[in-house]
Amino acid sequence: MTEHDPHSPGNTFTDGNGIKRRTIIAGAAWTIPVVALATATPAMAASNDLTLAFDKSSYQGVDCGTISGVKVTATRNGQAAPGESITVSLADGYTFSDGSTSYTTTSGSDGSVTLPDIKVPQNAGSSTFTATGGGATATASVSSTSNAVAYSYNGAANQTNQETNVPNGATPVGWRSFIDSSGSLWDNGVRIRSDVASAVGLINGNGDHLISYVTKDGVAYSFNGANGQTSQETNVPNGAKPVGWRAFLESDGSLWDNGIRIRSDVASAIGLINADGSHLISYVTKGGVAYSFNGTTGQTGQEFNVPNGATPVGWRAFLEPNGSLWDNGNRIRSDVASAYGLINSNGDHLISYVTKDGVALSYNGGNGQTNQETNVPNGAKPVGWRAFLEPNGSLWDNGVRIRSDVTKARGLIYMDNNNAHLISYVTGHC
């Protein structure tokens, strides 16, 4: 019988205390340091995926202009990839020269494609160009600056002047008065404020420019161009909107004139100024009732004949949703789509309007006569007395087209003996 050493590795033995123990097995795995073996492996294979890239990360255009020479390049492993089908897509009004928004072609020997000219829309803003092909995608941003140049037209003198100091992209708010996208308010080529949210400009019998405005933090002011003075409307709460000279309307319905609240339940209002400087405000309450307020006398009169729900469009002039146009309590037309009312030096109500079938007409409340603007094409919008703006950019005054690339316009009347038509406008229509 072979004897075993009780202390040999792997055997069990009883120690002096009577406890069974097992010897450690020689060469056990947990007693041997682990050594990582280095083996020769082939290098990772180079990727064969297609990569697309625009030649610029961003592009800059001008409204109604053209972006030329945009390129997209296809590569594999950093090398040109010819013969690849690449599609470039445009959005947000940007189009290729043929009017399409998608262009597909094949990359040339150097892997690149040159796109056709890209047309920038009016008021373009920002967008993205996207290229796809072979499972790859690339994008580039695009933005545009405005080409909207400011002008002022005097119908009596038939003169047009560019407002050279006013930055591109401004909006007309009165006679030679503009507010630009940054909030700068301009009058007669001079910046009078740089933090304006909204403004309404009028002109009195002396030719003074009168602008009521609200700053971006909601404070109401009035500016008189005759003396260059600006006054804060201290009683008007923050957040009101200007609707006439020293006239403001709060969102809760409070209507203010000359710092006095004249009504607390107003839904909409429009303010004009008479030759004698009177503040004239036509408004409609939240209950739909039409009223007219004369700031000189402080009197308010209800327009009893005007049905509930009309909108003020001039002094004692209201337009119903069904198309009925009212002046001085008389219905003068029943098929009107839009209207624009002013007042001349005699106090005559002057309303330019367009019917639902697009015909342009002008109504003179002084003699009760209505005349069709025979030269103005159908579909224009009234922007002043006998002044109309077509969707294609044509601006008309007294039946004469004075410009063909206008985007925005505001017409007033200089209430001197000539009652000149005054139109401030911005070009830039494509």
Side-chain angles (χ1 to χ4, degrees), residues 12 16 46 59 62 97 148 170 179 198 235 242 262 266 277 285 327 395 398 403:
T12 300
Y59 298 88
V62 177
S97 53
I179 183 171
S198 58
N235 290 337
I262 60 174
V266 176
T285 64
D327 179 65
L395 178 62
N398 272 350
R403 191 88 188 200

Side-chain angles (χ1 to χ4, degrees), residues 35-50:
V35 178
L37 299 179
T39 58
T41 57
M44 183 179 292
S47 172
N48 199 34
D49 290 342
L50 185 71

